[in-house]
């Protein structure tokens, strides 16, 4: 996919039509979105016809949507009238909240985090922790580098433990993509799994505050920062410890 000159992934209407009918469809949507994020591509969902479909796509932060829910094809003259007069589109998603815009932050010096597998196929595990380096974080997920060969399975739940602004943060997540950095290291992309809106809001509030402070001040706000000259050397030292 990285060798072809395209800038978007379109999800066909045949998939969108049944997206709300099975949890497997939601997991596949999450995977597509995070893969696209890792490749710097936007995702366009075609054939959105119901408020339920729209709500799912908004919750998963799909970039663009099109379909009869927003309006049927019209002649150019009529469309221009709609735009100029700001006539509401014939869409039945009353009561749905607009997708919130949250900050995303790329670390110059990586954020150190502890990682562990918390469950596989809904069976809880306690098999110790490993250190990883987070290179980017956002409201929906993060990227990290590790010397571990981790499984990419939708039934494997991971936990990340770290600190931002002096506050301890625990994040549940699933790995959705992997890319080799070199023969010893790999970069992974994960999607956060929040148990409720309160948990999500608490994290995004901390993240937004951190990014705002970072942008408005010359001094970087406090976080579990690691200054590394050679990432391979960092993981060699971690293994020795």
């Amino acid at each position: 996919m990285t060798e072809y000159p395209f800038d978007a992934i379109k999800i066909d209407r045949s998939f969108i039509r049944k997206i709300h009918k099975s949890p497997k469809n939601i997991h596949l949507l999450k995977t597509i979105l995070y893969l696209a994020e890792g490749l710097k591509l936007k995702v366009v969902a075609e054939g959105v016809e119901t408020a339920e479909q729209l709500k799912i796509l908004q919750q998963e932060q799909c970039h663009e949507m099109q379909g009869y829910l927003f309006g049927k094809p019209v002649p150019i003259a009529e469309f221009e009238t709609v735009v100029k007069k700001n006539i509401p589109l014939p869409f039945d998603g009353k009561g749905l909240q607009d997708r919130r815009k949250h900050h995303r932050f790329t670390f110059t010096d990586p954020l150190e985090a502890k990682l562990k597998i918390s469950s596989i196929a809904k069976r809880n595990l306690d098999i110790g922790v490993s250190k990883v380096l987070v290179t980017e974080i956002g409201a929906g997920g993060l990227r990290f580098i590790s010397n571990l060969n981790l499984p990419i399975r939708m039934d494997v739940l991971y936990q990340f433990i770290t600190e931002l602004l002096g506050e301890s943060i625990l994040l549940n997540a699933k790995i959705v993509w992997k890319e080799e950095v070199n023969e010893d290291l790999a970069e992974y992309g994960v999607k956060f799994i929040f148990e409720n809106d309160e948990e999500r809001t608490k994290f995004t509030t901390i993240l937004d505050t951190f990014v705002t402070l970072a942008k408005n001040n010359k001094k970087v706000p406090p976080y579990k920062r690691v200054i590394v000259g050679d990432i391979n050397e960092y993981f060699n030292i971690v293994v020795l410890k």
Side-chain angles (χ1 to χ4, degrees):
M1 290 181 69
T2 59
E3 297 179 359
Y4 295 96
F6 56 86
D7 59 5
I9 296 175
K10 278 196 172 184
I11 304 177
D12 190 75
R13 67 182 69 249
S14 60
F15 177 76
I16 298 299
R17 189 178 300 121
K18 57 186 179 181
I19 193 171
H20 58 288
K21 295 183 178 180
S22 168
K24 292 182 180 179
N25 294 338
I26 306 296
H27 287 310
L28 182 55
L29 172 65
K30 291 175 185 285
T31 302
I32 293 171
L33 288 168
Y34 216 89
L35 174 64
E37 185 175 353
L39 296 174
K40 306 298 183 184
L41 302 173
K42 69 178 180 180
V43 176
V44 181
E46 294 184 322
V48 182
E49 298 180 354
T50 69
E52 188 174 12
Q53 293 166 355
L54 175 63
K55 184 176 181 180
I56 291 170
L57 292 165
Q58 285 182 318
Q59 287 176 337
E60 300 306 326
Q61 300 186 359
C62 183
H63 305 120
E64 295 182 12
M65 291 157 270
Q66 54 188 226
Y68 285 174
L69 181 62
F70 307 100
K72 296 184 178 181
V74 296
I76 293 178
E78 185 177 338
F79 178 75
E80 289 177 346
T81 300
V82 170
V83 174
K84 289 178 181 178
K85 294 186 177 181
N86 197 27
I87 298 173
L89 293 168
F91 121 91
D92 61 354
K94 186 177 181 180
L96 294 178
Q97 294 183 350
D98 292 332
R99 191 179 74 183
R100 291 186 61 190
K101 300 293 184 181
H102 292 289
H103 292 296
R104 190 165 190 86
F105 190 78
T106 300
F107 295 97
T108 302
D109 297 315
L111 168 71
E112 187 177 65
K114 293 180 180 179
L115 168 69
K116 74 172 185 176
I117 298 177
S118 60
S119 68
I120 297 179
K122 297 184 178 180
R123 295 181 60 182
N124 294 332
L125 299 175
D126 186 9
I127 55 176
V129 299
S130 300
K131 290 184 178 181
V132 299
L133 296 178
V134 177
T135 57
E136 187 177 76
I137 191 168
L142 57 78
R143 296 167 178 253
F144 73 93
I145 294 175
S146 175
N147 60 341
L148 302 175
N149 183 19
L150 300 167
I152 305 176
R153 290 171 42 180
M154 290 300 102
D155 62 346
V156 178
L157 186 65
Y158 295 86
Q159 279 189 349
F160 292 82
I161 303 170
T162 188
E163 291 181 10
L164 281 178
L165 298 177
E167 293 198 41
S168 179
I169 297 173
L170 188 151
L171 296 162
N172 294 309
K174 293 182 179 181
I175 294 178
V176 294
W177 60 263
K178 173 185 177 182
E179 185 174 313
E180 290 187 1
V181 175
N182 54 45
E183 61 181 11
D184 298 316
L185 303 177
E187 182 178 36
Y188 296 87
V190 308
K191 180 83 172 181
F192 294 145
I193 308 297
F194 295 103
E195 293 184 358
N196 50 56
D197 289 340
E198 182 180 350
E199 186 178 281
R200 182 191 300 272
T201 300
K202 181 180 178 181
F203 168 67
T204 53
T205 299
I206 294 174
L207 176 64
D208 288 349
T209 302
F210 177 86
V211 178
T212 300
L213 289 172
K215 288 183 176 180
N216 295 335
N217 296 279
K218 293 182 179 179
K219 185 178 180 181
V220 179
Y223 69 96
K224 201 166 182 61
R225 181 181 186 182
V226 177
I227 300 176
V228 292
D230 186 312
I231 294 180
N232 284 279
E233 187 65 25
Y234 167 83
F235 284 105
N236 289 337
I237 294 173
V238 168
V239 170
L240 290 174
K241 289 181 178 179

